Amino acid sequence: MDDDSATIDAAERKKRSEKRLEIEGVPVLASLPAIESQQEAKIRSQPEVEARALSLLVVALKGEGLEQELVDKLIVSYQLAGRFSPNEALFIASLEYTSQERINATWRYEAAWVMLWALGFVQKLSRPNRLIDVPTAVTLMRERSIDEFRTCARLRPATEILDEADLIYRYHWAVTDARINSEDTPAGIIGGVVYERHYALNWLIGYMDQDWDDVSTDT
């Protein structure tokens, strides 16, 4: 794909996102630029996404109150030693943490859902107006061994991942604008869900080459 084609591809993606949001009644900022083109994006490899999905699920499970002994068994079973980010590793190893740290960890179910979608385990990312089905997310992991999980996973094409990244970028602008202006979040969307999806999708497309703990969600 040459530079002109890449620019057209990104612009068309932007138009599709804006049209969808307009139909949903979500405010759109026309000057918000297109995200990376397929040529520019650095989509994470399937093994990276597999490890990230499983790591996020374990972090969220611990946040929800799973006993440390069971957390440790999951880490061994799914070969996750050394796969957690520095911040995650501190939380996983800690026996004492604040209620806010637990809340932050459980929100990671939403980011894990994006990874499961990217790997083909979840058919579609619905509108961000409801929380994910946590039992289903956990079952997608627990009913498979690490080898079965890897065998069943199929990383989606870059175009699909970029479509969702562009869309959530615009959802996030609408959420941020509403907050700045002390207005209700538009069209029933949930700010926390939007944030976690944006975070996960920016990591998936290699936004600014940032590691997991440092991902930006600029709007």
Side-chain angles (χ1 to χ4, degrees):
M1 183 183 291
D2 59 31
D3 290 343
D4 288 342
S5 297
T7 301
I8 293 170
D9 173 68
E12 288 299 319
R13 178 173 291 112
K14 176 180 184 292
K15 287 181 182 178
R16 291 195 299 271
S17 295
E18 290 175 339
K19 183 177 180 179
R20 174 171 166 179
L21 295 183
E22 287 169 356
I23 291 171
E24 293 180 7
V26 177
V28 169
L29 179 65
S31 61
L32 204 63
I35 66 165
E36 293 91 328
S37 66
Q38 185 174 346
Q39 187 179 44
E40 296 165 329
K42 299 177 181 179
I43 304 297
R44 304 287 177 170
S45 68
Q46 182 166 316
E48 286 181 287
V49 181
E50 291 167 355
R52 187 94 299 267
L54 294 168
S55 297
L56 287 165
L57 286 170
V58 172
V59 166
L61 281 165
K62 176 162 182 174
E64 200 171 25
L66 188 67
E67 296 88 344
Q68 188 66 36
E69 181 181 357
L70 296 178
V71 170
D72 292 340
K73 286 182 178 179
L74 287 175
I75 292 170
V76 173
S77 296
Y78 291 97
Q79 300 174 15
L80 294 175
R83 304 313 298 264
F84 296 99
S85 72
N87 288 348
E88 289 171 341
L90 287 173
F91 177 72
I92 287 292
S94 179
L95 298 180
E96 294 184 5
Y97 33 83
T98 66
S99 59
Q100 188 59 55
E101 286 173 328
R102 289 186 62 174
I103 290 169
N104 293 344
T106 56
W107 268 111
R108 288 313 197 192
Y109 278 127
E110 299 293 332
W113 193 251
V114 173
M115 301 302 164
L116 293 170
W117 167 82
L119 293 169
F121 290 108
V122 174
Q123 183 176 4
K124 179 182 179 181
L125 287 179
S126 61
R127 290 184 68 246
N129 61 343
R130 61 177 181 271
L131 302 178
I132 66 128
D133 182 349
V134 169
T136 295
V138 175
T139 298
L140 286 168
M141 175 180 67
R142 296 297 295 269
E143 69 182 4
R144 296 173 174 86
S145 67
I146 181 60
D147 289 336
E148 289 169 336
F149 187 87
R150 289 168 175 165
T151 298
C152 293
R154 293 288 185 277
L155 188 64
R156 291 179 182 274
T159 52
E160 292 185 30
I161 295 173
L162 286 164
D163 283 350
E164 290 293 342
D166 186 89
L167 181 64
I168 204 67
Y169 170 48
R170 298 175 203 288
Y171 270 123
H172 202 175
W173 175 83
V175 169
T176 302
D177 186 63
R179 185 182 70 248
I180 290 171
N181 292 293
S182 300
E183 298 172 351
D184 292 337
T185 303
I189 55 181
I190 301 173
V193 174
V194 170
Y195 173 78
E196 292 294 333
R197 284 195 193 178
H198 196 185
Y199 198 106
L201 284 158
N202 272 3
W203 180 84
L204 279 167
I205 65 174
Y207 180 63
M208 295 179 65
D209 286 324
Q210 293 171 330
D211 293 330
W212 180 259
D213 286 342
D214 303 316
V215 172
S216 302
T217 55
D218 306 320
T219 58

